[in-house]
Amino acid sequence: MPDPSPTNRKPSPDGLPHGPLATLVIGALGVVYGDIGTSPLYTLKTAYDWAGSRAPDVALGLFSLIVWTLVITTSVKYVAIVMRADNHGEGGILALMARVGMTRADGSGGRPAIVALGILGAALLYGDGAITPAISVLSALEGLKLPLPAMAPAVLPLATAILVGLFGFQGKGTAVIGRVFGPVMILWFAVIGILGLLAVWQQPSVLRALDPRWGIAYLGTHGRHGFTVLGAVFLSATGAEALYADMGHFGARPIRFGWYGLVLPALLLNYAGQTALVLQGKATGDTNPFFLLGAPWLQLPLVALATVATIIASQSIISGVFSMTRQAVQLGLCPRLTITQTSADGYGQIYVSAVNWVLMLFTLALTLGFGSSDRLAAAFGIAVSLTMLFTTLLMYRMMREQWRWSVAVTLAIAGALLVVDAAFVSANLTKVLEGGWVPLVAGAAVFLTMRAWRTGRAAMLRQVERETMPLEPFIGSMAEVPRVSGTAVYLARRFDVVPVAMLHSLKHYKVLHERNMILHVETEQIPRVPKHDRVSVTPLGGKFYRIVLHYGFMEQPDIPRALASETVEGAGFDMMNTTFFLSRETVAAARHARLNPVTRRLFIWMHRNAADATEFFRIPRNRIVELGARIEM
């Protein structure tokens, strides 16, 4: 997820964030922990509702399960193990997939099963990106029902208005409000921790539930119903994937400091405090014990602080979806989209208009369709639990192939984590008919879209290659062709064949430019490429040159900027004397095609609606010549 306050945390040339540890920790607190940090608003209340009881043994059992979920899933799996599996400092399931599963970072090669796991895990997170804002904002505003019962009918309209405003603001950029994210979240964690501590002070017997036998006893005595409640317990850890996904903006060390130093203690104290109120009989019926932690005079300020915290959590997940979309484009899993840089200082400050509005419509539909955080809880968790399961499967490859762990150690660690993940997935699947189908359908749609694009693009490139010829003999045959002054740059997908645009240009104009650059943009299997490794130039003879621009999968290509400081045999690139030649393919359905009709039609639709290559590569429009080509698939 992009860093909302990047001024003091610019990435170093090696791609890792540098700066004072305290500054990085504060920044991480404002971005990384929004989702998991606001989970006390709804986790225990949902667990009690699903358990159907607030008896002391139930309360202690559920608290014990939450404690050990945070310890095993978040502290051990993600913070201690998974965050070691960075891809040159970057994290997230797509970065992990690129490291262990792809032979080429543009998505055109690799192990199909591993790539499919990565794509499916990323697809499911899009569903989470819509559910998190809805359930977070609703759960915060529902706190108004306690001090102001008459406000209950206004909760849904208020939540809708806040969400519309939040998505509407995205195009402006979040750099301004981002500067206060960290301090606000520090205040949030301090408040929920202190409130929990005061309640524990009055009922210290709640600390007995730190013994995992309380959780085991609950599961052992409540059968299938108790197992189902694990789906609610999992809500306490739904933000764990964000710790891994955000490490590229802050680094593993600041995230670990923030987790162990403030976030984990605050969460445990707050869950303990809520459980203490239940043991004292102060939280009965369907009341939310979170808001009962504060005195009556504190409840309205607590609702206000919770609302701000959930807005921050929502902003973080929305920005994370934008960031993941850019990764998908660069990895060849998604068509080109218009990506706007909203800050000159912060690379992570981007805006993807198409994704923003689709996400807004989906979020509002969930908010209005489910109407309350209680109903949304059934839909929440299943997408993230599946993504966590896929992360564990990918981590097995990481442990064996790149860390060289022994079979016994790998099976012991990955096997134990897999059992825990599978338990949470199974528990969440019991709620499919009650709303869990929503993120599954959304994830399946995104997955099929990504697969269709990847499959269709590979088929299209194979078809294009049939219409060209090998590069070396072509150059040898161009000695007698007339030349005109200036530089021509031809965008190419491959090194060894003639760009289609060059063939068409020569066919129509019968001349070549004085200098001819065959330019290839290469997406590497790392998040960012240092500037000194950006451009490589290879003379091909006859005033032909091959130029390769290297970008990481988290970077936005900018061809004129990359060429501005480059020289070829002593001559630079004057944009007024440089012409860019592009081939614009028109894709149509063939009568006899190998692709299945759904994949073919979906790919053709996406190809026609993809962002213009000139905008994507930042090429000046007045320096472009486009030559058409019709491709039947």
Side-chain angles (χ1 to χ4, degrees):
M1 299 175 190
D3 175 1
S5 181
T7 305
N8 297 320
R9 294 188 292 278
K10 296 178 182 178
S12 63
D14 59 6
L16 299 175
H18 286 186
L21 179 61
T23 302
L24 292 171
V25 171
I26 292 172
L29 288 169
V31 174
V32 175
Y33 303 107
D35 189 353
I36 201 169
T38 54
S39 58
L41 285 167
Y42 47 79
T43 298
L44 264 179
K45 182 181 185 300
T46 301
Y48 292 142
D49 291 345
W50 289 13
S53 171
R54 298 195 179 192
D57 63 316
V58 172
L60 291 172
L62 293 178
F63 174 52
S64 181
L65 289 172
I66 288 174
V67 169
W68 290 100
T69 296
L70 291 174
V71 170
I72 296 172
T73 299
T74 308
S75 299
V76 175
K77 177 183 174 180
Y78 277 94
V79 178
I81 299 177
V82 176
M83 285 177 61
R84 294 182 58 205
D86 66 288
N87 190 339
H88 292 264
E90 199 68 37
I93 193 166
L94 286 180
L96 180 60
M97 177 196 71
R99 181 166 178 180
V100 303
M102 282 187 168
T103 56
R104 292 187 294 275
D106 63 357
S108 57
R111 301 167 171 173
I114 293 179
V115 173
L117 280 179
I119 295 174
L120 185 54
L124 288 167
L125 287 179
Y126 279 92
D128 179 53
I131 298 176
T132 295
I135 192 172
S136 299
V137 173
L138 274 173
S139 61
L141 291 174
E142 283 168 355
L144 289 171
K145 298 177 182 179
L146 190 62
L148 300 172
M151 289 292 293
V155 168
L156 190 57
L158 280 174
T160 303
I162 289 174
L163 291 170
V164 169
L166 178 64
F167 283 100
F169 186 81
Q170 297 303 309
K172 307 285 185 184
T174 58
V176 176
I177 60 173
R179 297 190 184 99
V180 302
F181 277 13
V184 169
M185 292 307 292
I186 290 174
L187 176 62
W188 167 256
F189 288 119
V191 168
I192 66 173
I194 291 172
L195 290 177
L197 179 60
L198 293 175
V200 172
W201 187 267
Q202 298 176 15
Q203 188 73 29
S205 63
V206 71
L207 298 179
R208 292 177 295 164
L210 296 177
D211 185 341
R213 288 178 296 182
W214 282 93
I216 295 171
Y218 174 80
L219 293 177
T221 57
H222 288 77
R224 184 180 181 278
H225 185 68
F227 178 75
T228 301
V229 177
L230 273 180
V233 169
F234 179 73
L235 297 178
S236 65
T238 51
E241 187 75 24
L243 307 185
Y244 180 42
D246 287 321
M247 64 183 296
H249 295 277
F250 303 101
R253 190 163 173 251
I255 291 176
R256 290 189 176 111
F257 265 84
W259 174 253
Y260 293 120
L262 177 61
V263 180
L264 179 60
L267 292 176
L268 293 179
L269 284 172
N270 192 266
Y271 285 122
Q274 293 186 51
T275 305
L277 291 184
V278 174
L279 295 180
Q280 294 173 24
K282 295 181 179 180
T284 58
D286 62 349
T287 56
N288 190 339
F290 176 86
F291 291 103
L292 292 174
L293 287 171
W297 61 270
L298 188 60
Q299 288 172 356
L300 278 178
L302 189 58
V303 170
L305 179 60
T307 302
V308 175
T310 55
I311 290 173
I312 292 174
S314 302
Q315 175 60 58
S316 300
I317 197 69
I318 294 168
S319 299
V321 169
F322 292 163
S323 181
M324 187 167 61
T325 299
R326 176 161 59 185
Q327 291 186 50
V329 171
Q330 297 290 47
L331 289 170
L333 305 175
C334 175
R336 290 189 300 265
L337 297 172
T338 301
I339 299 175
T340 305
Q341 192 77 29
T342 60
S343 170
D345 298 321
Y347 171 79
Q349 293 291 327
I350 62 172
Y351 171 67
V352 187
S353 176
V355 174
N356 182 69
W357 299 122
V358 171
L359 200 62
M360 186 190 78
L361 292 176
F362 191 21
T363 301
L364 292 179
L366 290 172
T367 304
L368 297 172
F370 284 86
S372 70
S373 62
D374 295 338
R375 295 175 182 172
L376 263 174
F380 197 37
I382 189 168
V384 183
S385 64
L386 281 168
T387 300
M388 288 183 176
L389 178 67
F390 300 152
T391 297
T392 299
L393 294 174
L394 294 177
M395 281 301 300
Y396 174 82
R397 289 285 187 182
M398 190 75 189
M399 294 172 184
R400 287 288 297 133
E401 297 177 359
Q402 301 198 26
W403 292 348
R404 305 294 182 185
W405 288 4
S406 67
V407 175
V409 172
T410 301
L411 287 177
I413 295 176
L417 296 177
L418 194 63
V419 169
V420 174
D421 290 337
F424 284 129
V425 170
S426 301
N428 276 292
L429 286 174
T430 63
K431 295 293 182 179
V432 167
L433 297 180
E434 298 175 38
W437 60 271
V438 174
L440 293 181
V441 170
V446 176
F447 174 78
L448 291 175
T449 300
M450 287 184 172
R451 290 284 292 180
W453 176 258
R454 189 169 185 265
T455 303
R457 183 169 177 266
M460 184 190 74
L461 294 181
R462 288 193 299 269
Q463 183 67 25
V464 169
E465 289 165 6
R466 297 191 186 102
E467 300 182 8
T468 184
M469 60 184 295
L471 182 61
E472 186 174 348
F474 172 83
I475 293 175
S477 65
M478 291 295 106
E480 303 300 325
V481 175
R483 303 285 179 118
V484 296
S485 62
T487 299
V489 178
Y490 297 90
L491 268 66
R493 295 186 179 92
R494 283 182 52 178
F495 299 113
D496 55 342
V497 297
V498 183
V500 174
M502 181 178 284
L503 288 176
H504 287 181
S505 174
L506 185 62
K507 176 182 178 181
H508 288 288
Y509 301 123
K510 315 298 183 185
V511 296
L512 289 172
H513 282 73
E514 182 182 1
R515 297 194 306 171
N516 296 277
M517 311 293 174
I518 299 173
L519 187 146
H520 178 76
V521 178
E522 181 77 14
T523 303
E524 305 292 346
Q525 295 183 32
I526 58 176
R528 298 176 183 85
V529 173
K531 288 184 179 180
H532 56 78
D533 294 330
R534 177 77 68 209
V535 185
S536 61
V537 181
T538 304
L540 301 175
K543 292 291 184 177
F544 283 83
Y545 306 87
R546 177 187 295 121
I547 299 179
V548 182
L549 301 184
H550 303 270
Y551 289 93
F553 59 78
M554 286 291 290
E555 294 183 289
Q556 179 66 37
D558 189 328
I559 291 177
R561 184 176 182 180
L563 297 179
S565 58
E566 198 64 29
T567 59
V568 175
E569 296 187 357
F573 287 85
D574 178 5
M575 285 297 114
M576 297 306 297
N577 290 311
T578 300
T579 303
F580 293 85
F581 287 84
L582 284 74
S583 175
R584 178 179 288 274
E585 297 93 356
T586 300
V587 182
R591 291 184 178 180
H592 305 287
R594 294 182 180 179
L595 291 179
N596 71 71
V598 175
T599 298
R600 186 174 70 249
R601 290 171 184 170
L602 187 55
F603 171 76
I604 291 173
W605 178 82
M606 287 189 288
H607 185 270
R608 290 174 179 172
N609 290 277
D612 189 69
T614 59
E615 294 182 3
F616 186 79
F617 292 117
R618 306 290 193 262
I619 304 173
R621 286 190 171 275
N622 60 349
R623 306 309 309 164
I624 294 172
V625 173
E626 288 188 334
L627 299 163
R630 179 181 172 85
I631 298 174
E632 293 189 351
M633 298 177 58

